[in-house]
């Protein structure tokens, strides 16, 4: 059973399904299905369909489901405020349910609600909570974080090689409040500065989650960016698709692909920073489904292979330089991690 909860759907139907479905099923196959563990995934607001990070999370969930069947409930809020409200509703319903439940909070935006509802989150043999992209170690949940500092450092060095003129590079951020984006921006800036002795410019798209969903606006902005910059490092979620679409039919600037392999979309994308979030999600879910004990908190750094930078075959000079850069990027990230602790 795969239930997608849309905010406009009445909650009563979903609650009844969870609480009394087992009592109403006479068919043996249906009864067996209700005995499966339940995984509920709260995605980032309006996240699915971004073509990169969140769609990869979704793929990881379904790959885990193919290996170990479970009932899946997918919740995609329309805003951060609505996400908080829907999570509150889910937590109110949870004590009346039976069977094993995994609550998946699939983005860093759920860190604050997890803090707010900490005493109500599933955290025992029957139920568990998994929070993505969080460094918090004081919450009653399992957390993991794929660090982008080292990969972004390497990307900054590669951008300096790809950019014809130092100082004409832009870091494009979806918002100014995300620690994840700040970490990546800082790593890129350090790498670029070490290579050029200049800092890249920085542009923030929004002061809220809208910055992840501004593909049309970025497509319109692209000609202006092309007049000002030789290279763009986009930390903007699904908004990146606006720039990818522009570069597919126009020239103007180089750009890094982000979260997924996008080199094939344009010759002006010499490399991509790829997070292997699909396999990471799949592994975490399968461990829970198989009853294994997970590490409470995991940070996946550049040396784990969870983040990679595939270079386009049309840029052999970048591939050659990357060979010597990679150990340095790992060293820089370790220094960053040491500063955090």
């Amino acid at each position: 059973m795969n239930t997608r909860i849309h905010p406009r759907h009445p909650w009563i139907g979903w609650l009844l399904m969870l609480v009394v479905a087992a009592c109403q099923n006479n068919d043996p196959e249906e009864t067996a299905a209700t005995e499966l563990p339940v995984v509920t995934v709260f995605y980032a607001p309006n996240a699915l369909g971004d073509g990169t990070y969140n769609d990869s999370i979704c793929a990881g969930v379904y790959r885990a489901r193919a290996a170990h069947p479970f009932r899946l409930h997918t919740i995609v809020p329309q805003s951060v405020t609505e996400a908080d409200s829907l999570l509150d509703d889910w937590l109110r319903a949870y004590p009346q349910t039976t069977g094993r439940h995994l609550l998946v909070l699939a983005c860093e935006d759920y860190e604050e609600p997890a803090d707010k509802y900490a005493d109500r989150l599933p955290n025992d043999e029957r139920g568990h909570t998994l929070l993505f992209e969080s460094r918090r170690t004081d919450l009653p949940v399992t957390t993991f974080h794929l660090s982008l500092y080292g990969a972004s450092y390497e990307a900054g060095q590669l951008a300096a090689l790809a950019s014809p003129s130092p100082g004409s590079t832009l870091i494009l951020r979806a918002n100014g409040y995300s620690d994840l984006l700040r970490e990546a921006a800082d790593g890129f800036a350090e790498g670029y500065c070490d290579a050029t002795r200049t800092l890249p410019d920085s542009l923030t798209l929004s002061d809220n989650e809208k910055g992840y969903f501004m593909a049309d606006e970025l497509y319109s902005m692209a000609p202006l960016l092309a007049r000002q910059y030789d290279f763009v490092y986009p930390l903007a979620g699904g908004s990146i698709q606006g720039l990818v679409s522009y570069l597919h039919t126009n020239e103007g600037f180089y750009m890094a692909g982000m979260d997924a392999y996008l080199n094939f979309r344009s010759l002006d994308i010499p490399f991509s920073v790829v997070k292997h979030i699909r396999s990471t999600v799949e592994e975490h879910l399968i461990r829970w489904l198989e009853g294994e004990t997970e590490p409470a908190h995991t940070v996946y750094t550049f040396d784990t292979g969870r983040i990679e930078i595939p270079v386009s075959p049309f840029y052999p000079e970048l591939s050659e330089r990357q060979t010597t850069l990679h150990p340095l990027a790992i060293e820089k990230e370790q220094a960053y991690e040491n500063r955090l602790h």
Side-chain angles (χ1 to χ4, degrees):
M1 180 183 295
N2 177 19
T3 303
R4 180 176 182 183
I5 305 300
H6 190 281
R8 288 194 294 268
H9 287 181
W11 273 95
I12 185 65
W14 181 70
L15 296 180
L16 288 173
M17 177 184 65
L18 284 180
V19 178
V20 303
C23 299
Q24 295 178 335
N25 284 327
N26 296 318
D27 188 302
E29 291 186 3
E30 287 294 320
T31 301
T34 64
E35 294 173 353
L36 291 173
V38 179
V39 176
T40 301
V41 183
F42 278 76
Y43 286 91
N46 298 303
L48 294 184
D50 65 354
T52 54
Y53 183 76
N54 290 286
D55 286 358
S56 293
I57 290 174
C58 185
V61 171
Y62 276 91
R63 284 172 66 93
R65 193 185 186 204
H68 289 270
F70 55 82
R71 287 185 288 159
L72 173 63
H73 305 295
T74 300
I75 300 177
V76 188
Q78 294 182 328
S79 68
V80 169
T81 301
E82 188 169 64
D84 183 284
S85 176
L86 294 177
L87 178 57
D88 183 31
D89 287 344
W90 189 92
L91 292 171
R92 290 178 189 275
Y94 172 69
Q96 282 72 53
T97 64
T98 59
R100 295 182 70 213
H101 287 257
L102 177 64
L103 173 62
V104 178
L105 306 176
C107 81
E108 62 173 333
D109 288 342
Y110 288 104
E111 192 173 77
E112 186 174 333
D115 204 357
K116 179 179 177 181
Y117 302 122
D119 60 340
R120 297 163 57 195
L121 294 172
N123 184 33
D124 53 34
E125 291 184 359
R126 188 175 82 86
H128 193 66
T129 303
L130 175 63
L131 173 62
F132 292 9
E133 301 295 8
S134 174
R135 287 181 175 270
R136 292 282 296 274
T137 59
D138 58 339
L139 294 171
V141 302
T142 294
T143 64
F144 72 78
H145 170 59
L146 279 75
S147 173
L148 275 179
Y149 193 92
S152 292
Y153 179 91
E154 185 170 304
Q157 291 265 350
L158 294 175
L161 290 173
S163 177
S165 51
S168 60
T169 291
L170 174 70
I171 299 173
L172 190 66
R173 296 171 64 175
N175 59 62
Y177 62 81
S178 167
D179 290 338
L180 184 67
L181 301 188
R182 176 194 52 76
E183 178 178 270
D186 288 350
F188 183 88
E190 183 181 4
Y192 187 80
C193 186
D194 283 356
T196 66
R197 303 305 174 201
T198 61
L199 285 171
D201 286 348
S202 182
L203 175 65
T204 300
L205 293 177
S206 175
D207 60 359
N208 55 44
E209 68 272 17
K210 182 184 177 184
Y212 293 113
F213 311 104
M214 296 178 62
D216 291 343
E217 290 88 342
L218 271 186
Y219 184 88
S220 299
M221 287 173 56
L224 177 61
L225 296 178
R227 289 195 291 271
Q228 292 185 286
Y229 297 104
D230 293 329
F231 196 99
V232 176
Y233 192 60
L235 302 169
S239 297
I240 191 179
Q241 297 300 336
L243 298 182
V244 173
S245 295
Y246 178 83
L247 291 178
H248 187 65
T249 53
N250 300 273
E251 295 181 351
F253 51 85
Y254 294 107
M255 184 184 77
M258 187 58 59
D259 292 328
Y261 183 83
L262 299 176
N263 303 1
F264 68 96
R265 297 288 298 276
S266 170
L267 288 176
D268 292 326
I269 302 178
F271 60 86
S272 294
V273 178
V274 178
K275 275 187 169 184
H276 294 299
I277 187 67
R278 184 185 71 180
S279 59
T280 302
V281 169
E282 181 183 2
E283 289 173 19
H284 276 272
L285 264 61
I286 287 177
R287 279 200 291 267
W288 178 80
L289 290 163
E290 294 182 346
E292 296 183 23
T293 301
E294 283 209 283
H297 312 288
T298 306
V299 175
Y300 297 107
T301 48
F302 200 19
D303 59 336
T304 65
R306 300 278 175 167
I307 307 99
E308 292 185 304
I309 303 184
V311 174
S312 167
F314 296 102
Y315 295 86
E317 70 281 6
L318 296 187
S319 294
E320 183 178 346
R321 178 69 176 125
Q322 188 181 34
T323 303
T324 57
L325 276 177
H326 195 63
L328 176 62
I330 291 173
E331 179 183 319
K332 291 288 185 177
E333 184 170 56
Q334 185 57 60
Y336 171 75
E337 291 291 328
N338 291 340
R339 292 196 297 271
L340 289 181
H341 303 293

